[in-house]
Amino acid sequence: MTALLERLSGVPGVDRGSVERLLDTAGGDGWDVAIPLHRFAAAAKRPPNELAAELAASLPDTPGVARRFAVGAYVNFEADPAWLAERTLAIVGARGTSYGGGGAAGPEVCVEHTSANPNAPFHIGRVRNALIGDTLARILRAAGQTVTTQYYVDDIGRQSAMVTWIWTQPKEAWPPEILATLEGADEREERPDHYLGRPYPAVSAYVKTHPEAAASLAELCERLERGEAPEAHRRFCEAILGGMLASLARVSVTFDEFVWESSLLHDGSVDRVVARLRGAPHSVTEANGALAIDTTVYGLPKEDARAVFVRGNGTTLYPTRDVAYHLQKFGRFPRVIDVLGQDHLLHAKTLEALLNEIGEARRPEFVLYQYITVPGGGRMSTRKGTVVWLDTLLDEATDRARAEVRARHPELSEGEAETIALAIAAGAVRYHIVRIAADKSVAFQWEEALSFEGRSGPFVQYAYARASSLLRKALDDGVAIPTSPSGADLTTPAERDLVRVLARLPRVVASAARTKHVHTVAGYAHDLAESFNRFYQTTPVLKAEAGRDSRLALVAGVRQALGNTLDLLGLVRLERM
RNA sequence: GGGCGCGUCGCACAGCUUGGACCAGUGCCCCGGAUUCCUAAUCCGGUUGACGUGGGUUCAAAUCCCACCGCGCCCGCCA
């Protein structure tokens, strides 16, 4: 390949990068790499077919390349399968759990994701943020970067204030329509996010039509901002947040740090942002005393071209506080990534404008995702009864997985079966959401989300379990797993294909880390599992008449890669299922 | 009205960043097969496509550009 590069480098208009990119072309019939020469031929003012034939004939032999030949305007290379198998398995064996990752460390990065208001349980729409963010963090870590994940807890805004507002009133004083939301609920049986979150939608609707309630809520908001929150407020926030985090823990999502919005008010950093925005180039004062930035020059799609950063009553807004939060992040991390829903796009643009206004040159990188909608279309709504709670989905998935595990493995203890069922349920849900590109909206469908077959998390987990069982059996039989196979044994179509997919993992991880497209890793996981299943189905290993050791080594390598891929996706490795 | 995103078999997705073996790949569904043998949550075979529409650039377009159509979200002194 190097020789090819050198030959082409003599051609005017050809740069090394454009040749290297072509090397990722997928393998086809009889070839592993195909280089189209049209563009080089054009630069050299030669017919492409002629150039291809000449190069194919004149390139020096390269280790690992079994054959090269010209077809039309393409030069094709066929890898030596034995060489590829030995080399790939040697690398997998040497890298172990870090196979697929590595690379340059890069700057320390902060990934902020989820940051859902502590006012209600997670529904599966909200959880998309957490799963994209958590998976991205895993991929970046695997790629060699130092990652800190942060959850920004909004304990200042109206959402969390509504919870405190209603719960600090005696129940006798609750409006009937709000009280009704507690019907049939038992505080001792429901987690705090579910129980305390019950009245929220009703409260939200109520204050829209009852001015005195709205005024009372506004007063509470002001108190929160002044640092005069009722003692119970933090308790409610923590209780609900705790419940929400318990949901996320079921799908293996955890956080390194939590940043409470109130802390930015109390340490004066929000005040400093306000002071800097006051003196900003496009700062304006509105009639009622509110402070804003005239965003005309930024072309934001806002009708009045105003980004208000202090209300008429002197309190601040979410964008103002978010500037303070980002300055804090910039102070600690050279690189900052925010995972945001599509509805926050304008906020992201506003944030950039505000940062520009205070002369801050650094910017966060945004990962935007589209919503998960309900089958009939539209967002999930508690009032319309179209909400699917993460916990409900996981419970149902666990029930189904449990039944399947018990049917397959009656010998397992209840505890073992439960552990496996939980892992399968979580795997199905995680995979189902993260397999789709972030910029696609998803119409949620129960049966799809609960599928354990085909392109699913359990499919990948199953392939891993099969590989594990096979190796376990080998060890039980006293067969050692060899570390260096003979590639010459691994030449059936199923083996060659499996080796090729196995060898692809490092490129997949590097690409996913660069583009922040986490779904590509899910796609790869399926490809590898599928390729392994095909091999498994068609190729005897333990009972192989010849080449058993090499096949065992291949299985060990694939198991390693499958396991690493499961880690990247946050799916539990199961040794049996 | 303005901004952003999406539009690929019946359904759900991949491929688009970096045009090239894509006369387009995967899963589900449907039909037919495979288990004396390492887990059948598997595998094999079959059926299914105007890549939203129209134009442009190019030797070459699902991929890049323009327009239009459809869908989603946003355009708050909410977050």
Side-chain angles (χ1 to χ4, degrees), chain A residues 259-463:
Chain A
V259 176
W260 291 71
E261 194 165 5
S262 56
S263 70
L264 299 166
L265 283 163
H266 303 153
D267 70 6
S269 53
V270 173
D271 286 342
R272 289 191 289 277
V273 167
V274 169
R276 292 172 72 178
L277 284 169
R278 265 178 199 278
H282 301 97
S283 189
V284 293
T285 303
E286 304 290 341
N288 67 349
L291 304 176
I293 295 297
D294 181 336
T295 61
T296 307
V297 296
Y298 298 104
L300 300 184
K302 290 168 84 78
E303 278 169 10
D304 59 359
R306 287 284 189 279
V308 175
F309 62 91
V310 175
R311 293 189 186 90
N313 68 7
T315 56
T316 60
L317 289 92
Y318 159 61
T320 319
R321 292 173 236 132
D322 210 23
V323 170
Y325 176 39
H326 278 82
L327 293 180
Q328 184 190 88
K329 288 198 272 192
F330 292 148
R332 287 183 53 199
F333 305 102
R335 189 177 174 206
V336 170
I337 297 175
D338 298 350
V339 181
L340 297 176
Q342 58 170 343
D343 56 334
H344 279 60
L345 178 67
L346 178 57
H347 169 68
K349 299 280 183 206
T350 305
L351 178 66
E352 289 180 329
L354 295 182
L355 288 169
N356 191 64
E357 284 290 305
I358 62 172
E360 172 57 60
R362 290 169 290 189
R363 296 284 180 273
E365 298 165 45
F366 298 107
V367 174
L368 292 164
Y369 64 92
Q370 305 288 313
Y371 273 110
I372 295 178
T373 59
V374 295
R379 292 168 70 170
M380 294 191 181
S381 156
T382 312
R383 264 168 301 145
K384 292 180 190 158
T386 51
V387 162
V388 178
W389 302 118
L390 173 61
D391 288 311
T392 312
L393 177 61
L394 285 170
D395 289 346
E396 176 65 23
T398 306
D399 287 346
R400 295 191 184 196
R402 187 186 299 115
E404 192 70 31
V405 173
R406 286 210 173 123
R408 287 161 183 264
H409 302 287
E411 80 283 2
L412 288 179
S413 74
E414 194 161 321
E416 287 171 318
E418 192 66 11
T419 301
I420 293 170
L422 290 170
I424 291 170
V429 170
R430 256 194 100 118
Y431 191 95
H432 179 253
I433 290 175
V434 93
R435 72 187 177 130
I436 294 167
D439 53 16
K440 290 260 214 188
S441 58
V442 183
F444 179 78
Q445 293 178 77
W446 276 97
E447 288 309 314
E448 289 284 318
L450 292 169
S451 172
F452 299 157
E453 298 172 1
R455 224 176 50 181
S456 71
F459 180 92
V460 183
Q461 291 172 307
Y462 182 60

Side-chain angles (χ1 to χ4, degrees), chain A residues 84 88 99 498-507 524:
Chain A
L84 187 62
T88 301
Y99 173 66
L498 184 53
V499 167
R500 209 145 59 175
V501 177
L502 179 62
R504 218 169 78 210
L505 180 58
R507 292 201 299 281
Y524 172 80

Side-chain angles (χ1 to χ4, degrees), chain A residues 103 146 208 254 282 470 494 503 505 525 569:
Chain A
T146 304
K208 280 186 187 130
T254 57
H282 301 97
L470 198 159
L505 180 58
L569 295 171

Side-chain angles (χ1 to χ4, degrees), chain A residues 475-551:
Chain A
L475 289 173
D476 288 348
D477 295 348
V479 179
I481 310 300
T483 49
S484 48
S486 166
D489 294 333
L490 303 172
T491 53
T492 67
E495 288 164 338
R496 293 180 62 172
D497 176 65
L498 184 53
V499 167
R500 209 145 59 175
V501 177
L502 179 62
R504 218 169 78 210
L505 180 58
R507 292 201 299 281
V508 171
V509 175
S511 164
R514 183 172 51 82
T515 61
K516 292 169 277 191
H517 289 169
V518 299
H519 71 282
T520 56
V521 176
Y524 172 80
H526 176 262
D527 288 349
L528 183 59
E530 184 181 49
S531 195
F532 175 71
N533 279 331
R534 203 179 345 259
F535 160 83
Y536 184 93
Q537 198 84 20
T538 57
T539 318
V541 177
L542 295 177
K543 296 186 170 62
E545 290 171 11
R548 186 190 65 181
D549 285 355
S550 296
R551 285 178 180 166

Side-chain angles (χ1 to χ4, degrees), chain A residues 8 11 37-38 40-42 44 46-56 75:
Chain A
L8 291 172
V11 178
L37 293 176
H38 310 83
F40 309 114
R46 305 258 318 267
N49 292 20
E50 194 180 294
L51 185 63
E54 182 192 304
L55 277 171
V75 181

